[in-house]
């Protein structure tokens, strides 16, 4: 490419829209006519706080976030929220049920891949409650170890009154995603949850946030997402928190709950409009520019339609390769991620040949996660139809040359 840029199919940090990067470059030198660069300006300046409020407004509109939920900006990524959701929701449960012992408090985890497994392990490490695996996708793999599908609805066993119910909507490493079609057996089983209650439902949307609408968003207690997939650079985490989950964690600690570090407390973030301490100013700025572009570009449905089309193109090329024994999909039909499509290229040296060929054609970041290997195609929002078509062309060419 003449400007030296390639197509970045990497799983994160992700590709960002070129026009957003060009606009951000201007802001690095002079943010909104202040004469001060965005990386230098006070986070309490009226210009930045107005920009932060605009970014929040875009998220609320794009996702149709109800007034019952606060939108918060913080740091620490998804891994930071593995800890924060446990501490905040155990504090909430302590206030609701002060008489219960720690071993009587249950945290439900749906384990569908590497990230939900890590989240579950962190809950166990922190203590304060007992971890219950409400469903485990590994049971449905051939070796009992791999994550290659969403569990069927009949497999879920939720606790009667858990402190939290966690699931990861899209597993970046394993390429498994819950369906957004609630009639699909690969959808999240909302019908199995207690109805008519304020459910402590927590969803990790780090690698699919703002790629399509969130089913039954209002029924969630917490939705969190690291920005570095579809929205902006690493360093920013976005939270959507139902207001009954923004509790006085110090009052809960007096009743025996684990003290919550002040910057992990949802109440601290909410009470200070995400400005208790210096936020990730530059990532918020770039994410805000992406949000503005999304709003101006027709909203979330436009992006959802485009993402579906990109997904269908890659899946068609993958199936073509499977029919000719060149590619091998890792995930069962119905559970394949729109964002991270994973597959193997069987045969001595073939996988490296595929990756090397892609690299020579200006397509990078296609190697699978180091823990599972293979190929991973990440189709985040900034990947265009043209980018996708180029990869599809190469995949079909590789198949033709191999058979």
């Amino acid at each position: 490419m003449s400007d030296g840029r390639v197509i970045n199919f990497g799983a994160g940090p992700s590709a960002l829209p070129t026009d957003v990067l060009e606009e951000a470059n201007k802001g690095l030198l002079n943010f909104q006519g202040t004469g001060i660069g965005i990386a230098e300006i006070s986070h309490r300046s009226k210009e930045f706080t107005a920009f932060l409020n605009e970014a929040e407004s875009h998220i609320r509109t794009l996702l149709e976030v109800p007034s019952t939920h606060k939108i918060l900006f913080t740091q620490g990524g998804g891994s930071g929220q593995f800890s924060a959701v446990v501490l905040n929701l155990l504090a909430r449960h302590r206030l609701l049920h002060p008489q219960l012992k720690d071993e009587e408090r249950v945290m439900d985890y749906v384990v569908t891949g590497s990230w939900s497994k890590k989240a579950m392990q962190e809950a166990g490490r922190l203590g304060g409650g007992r971890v219950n695996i409400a469903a485990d996708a590994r049971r449905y793999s051939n070796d009992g170890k791999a994550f290659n599908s969403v569990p069927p609805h009949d497999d879920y066993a939720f606790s009667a009154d858990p402190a939290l119910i966690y699931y990861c909507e899209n597993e970046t490493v394993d390429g498994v995603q819950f369906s957004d079609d609630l009639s699909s057996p690969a959808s999240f089983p909302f019908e199995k949850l207690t109805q008519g209650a304020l459910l402590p439902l927590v969803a990790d949307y780090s690698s699919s946030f703002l790629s399509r609408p969130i089913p039954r968003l209002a029924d969630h207690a917490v939705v969190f997402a690291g920005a570095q997939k579809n929205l902006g650079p690493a360093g920013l985490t976005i939270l959507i928190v139902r207001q009954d989950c923004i509790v006085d964690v110090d009052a809960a600690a007096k009743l025996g709950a684990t003290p919550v570090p002040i910057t992990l407390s949802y109440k601290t973030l909410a009470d200070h409009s995400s400005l208790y301490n210096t936020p990730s100013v530059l990532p918020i700025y770039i994410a805000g520019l992406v949000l503005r572009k999304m709003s101006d570009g027709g909203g979330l449905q436009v992006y959802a339609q485009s993402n579906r089309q990109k997904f269908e193109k890659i899946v068609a090329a993958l199936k073509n390769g499977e029919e000719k024994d060149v590619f091998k999909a890792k995930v069962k039909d119905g559970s394949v991620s729109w964002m991270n499509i994973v597959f193997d290229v069987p045969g001595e040296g073939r996988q490296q040949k595929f990756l090397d060929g892609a690299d020579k054609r200006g397509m990078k970041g296609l190697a699978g996660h180091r823990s599972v290997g293979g190929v991973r195609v990440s189709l985040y929002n900034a990947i265009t139809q043209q980018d996708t078509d180029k990869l599809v062309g190469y995949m079909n060419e590789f198949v033709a040359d191999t058979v």
Side-chain angles (χ1 to χ4, degrees), residues 121-316:
Q121 291 170 336
E122 176 65 357
R125 190 185 73 84
L126 289 173
R130 175 172 55 85
V131 172
N132 169 55
I133 299 179
D136 192 335
R138 289 170 290 192
R139 290 180 54 198
Y140 298 92
S141 64
N142 291 333
D143 62 3
K145 298 179 181 179
F147 294 107
N148 61 9
S149 67
V150 170
H153 286 198
D154 289 344
D155 190 55
Y156 292 78
F158 295 111
S159 303
D161 186 17
L164 65 91
I165 305 163
Y166 168 96
Y167 73 101
C168 181
E169 196 270 348
N170 182 69
E171 292 281 2
T172 324
V173 172
D174 305 281
V176 173
Q177 184 174 27
F178 285 89
S179 174
D180 63 336
D181 176 3
L182 295 185
S183 66
S184 167
S187 64
F188 187 82
F190 291 98
E191 76 282 358
K192 297 205 70 174
L193 300 174
T194 303
Q195 302 301 305
L198 288 175
L199 298 170
L201 183 61
V202 176
D204 178 351
Y205 265 79
S206 287
S207 53
S208 55
F209 192 65
L210 285 170
S211 63
R212 63 190 190 190
I214 297 176
R216 294 181 62 167
L217 171 59
D219 290 332
H220 289 75
V222 182
V223 173
F224 66 83
Q228 69 273 14
K229 309 294 185 179
N230 283 305
L231 195 55
L236 169 65
T237 308
I238 295 165
L239 306 173
I240 301 174
V241 185
R242 200 174 60 223
Q243 292 183 33
D244 66 283
C245 297
I246 300 172
V247 302
D248 187 338
V249 296
D250 291 336
K254 291 177 182 178
L255 295 174
T258 301
V260 181
I262 196 165
T263 56
L264 295 184
S265 164
Y266 294 157
K267 191 174 190 302
T268 300
L269 292 170
D271 287 351
H272 295 85
S273 301
S274 302
L275 296 173
Y276 174 77
N277 63 329
T278 307
S280 303
V281 175
L282 179 58
I284 287 173
Y285 175 57
I286 297 176
L289 295 178
V290 172
L291 289 163
R292 186 183 292 172
K293 176 182 174 70
M294 292 184 71
S295 296
D296 293 345
L300 190 55
Q301 290 295 346
V302 171
Y303 283 80
Q305 181 179 5
S306 176
N307 286 330
R308 179 183 289 276
Q309 291 171 348
K310 293 184 295 183
F311 163 77
E312 289 174 347
K313 288 176 181 179
I314 297 296
V315 167

Side-chain angles (χ1 to χ4, degrees), residues 59-125:
I59 294 172
R60 190 170 295 278
T61 300
L62 288 165
L63 283 172
E64 300 181 1
V65 179
S67 60
T68 51
H69 289 62
K70 290 276 191 180
I71 297 171
L72 306 172
F73 300 86
T74 187
Q75 298 141 322
S79 296
Q81 290 307 306
F82 293 168
S83 309
V85 294
V86 169
L87 296 174
N88 281 273
L89 292 188
L90 279 176
R92 173 182 181 267
H93 202 258
R94 178 76 59 164
L95 292 169
L96 291 172
H97 306 287
Q99 76 284 359
L100 293 181
K101 298 177 181 179
D102 283 355
E103 58 268 24
E104 296 175 305
R105 301 183 196 279
V106 183
M107 297 175 284
D108 283 351
Y109 277 78
V110 177
V111 182
T112 53
S114 300
W115 289 114
S116 50
K117 180 182 175 184
K118 287 179 182 292
M120 179 263 295
Q121 291 170 336
E122 176 65 357
R125 190 185 73 84

